[in-house]
Amino acid sequence: RDRYCTGISDKTHALFAGGSPSDQTSTPPKTDFWKLTYSTYTAEKIPAQLPIGRTMGVGVAGEEKGYISQGYHAGGTPGGGPAGLSDTCKITFSTDTVTSLPSANLDAQNWQMQSLTDGAGGGYLFGGTWVPGQANTGSRCYKITYSTDSIALTPGLHVSGSSSSGSRVLSTMAFGKGDVGYVFGGKSPNRTTVNKITFSTDTRSSSPGIPFKPLGPFNPFTLPKSIY
């Protein structure tokens, strides 16, 4: 039983990576990958390995490849640094291979981020934990562009307007469908806001017509015309 794994998927498979074998954050996290095949409902461990073990990472994916970024490494990183990670790796679905991707590393440590994908050209990473000594990391939004394996801050989508050192957005819920995505709630402090993300312009707007309570963490599921 592993907790806090990171998941990504394409049309035929899902991959789950990392996680902790216990409830304790001090336990060294895993680097393993498991692959779930939708057509047979079977799961198997594959040879791929994360470059660094992690819990509470974040993932986005297109049709041919996926990305896993940031996370928490219990007791500090293998190189002796702080427990927060900022690295990104790429997973090629056709070969189940993993490569480190410095061109898509975050500019600061983070964990407990949330993600959205526009389903074609890019994925969005946002929110997370504020790390002491780093500027407002918990309210930023980054966009990974799949065609170039690159990452960039996306100020128009930052999830909090606060510049205070403790500003962060944990335990949000997010989903994307078609041309738009939605970001619900969050904690530290608790939020009841619902933000609508327009992928074509990388802009954010409030959706006050959708009532929401500050609950979390939780996850949505989507149907052709509705999301729950």
Side-chain angles (χ1 to χ4, degrees), residues 3-10 13-19 32-36 38 50 54-62 65-70 91 93 113-117 125 219:
R3 302 187 67 190
Y4 310 123
C5 296
T6 304
I8 55 176
S9 67
D10 63 6
H13 301 86
L15 295 175
F16 302 92
D32 301 336
F33 271 82
W34 284 81
K35 183 176 184 178
L36 172 66
Y38 297 146
L50 290 169
R54 73 197 64 212
T55 61
M56 297 180 281
V58 68
V60 292
K65 53 190 176 181
Y67 305 82
I68 290 177
S69 186
Q70 56 89 68
I91 302 90
F93 293 140
M113 297 182 81
Q114 184 58 270
S115 65
L116 278 172
T117 181
L125 317 178
N219 288 291

Side-chain angles (χ1 to χ4, degrees), residues 52-175:
I52 303 174
R54 73 197 64 212
T55 61
M56 297 180 281
V58 68
V60 292
E63 293 185 0
E64 299 177 352
K65 53 190 176 181
Y67 305 82
I68 290 177
S69 186
Q70 56 89 68
Y72 184 87
H73 187 94
T77 61
L85 300 174
S86 61
D87 68 307
T88 298
C89 62
K90 178 173 69 173
I91 302 90
T92 303
F93 293 140
S94 61
T95 58
D96 289 337
T97 54
V98 178
T99 54
S100 294
L101 194 65
S103 61
N105 286 354
L106 276 66
D107 60 355
Q109 303 158 14
N110 209 334
W111 62 91
Q112 289 184 289
M113 297 182 81
Q114 184 58 270
S115 65
L116 278 172
T117 181
D118 63 13
Y124 301 84
L125 317 178
F126 54 87
T129 296
W130 171 69
V131 179
Q134 299 190 56
N136 205 26
T137 54
S139 65
R140 294 177 179 174
C141 180
Y142 302 82
K143 182 178 181 179
I144 294 179
T145 300
Y146 301 152
S147 62
T148 58
D149 289 339
S150 60
I151 195 168
L153 280 170
T154 314
L157 297 181
H158 286 354
V159 289
S160 171
S162 173
S163 60
S164 65
S165 60
S167 177
R168 54 185 177 170
V169 184
L170 300 174
S171 301
T172 56
M173 176 178 75
F175 56 82

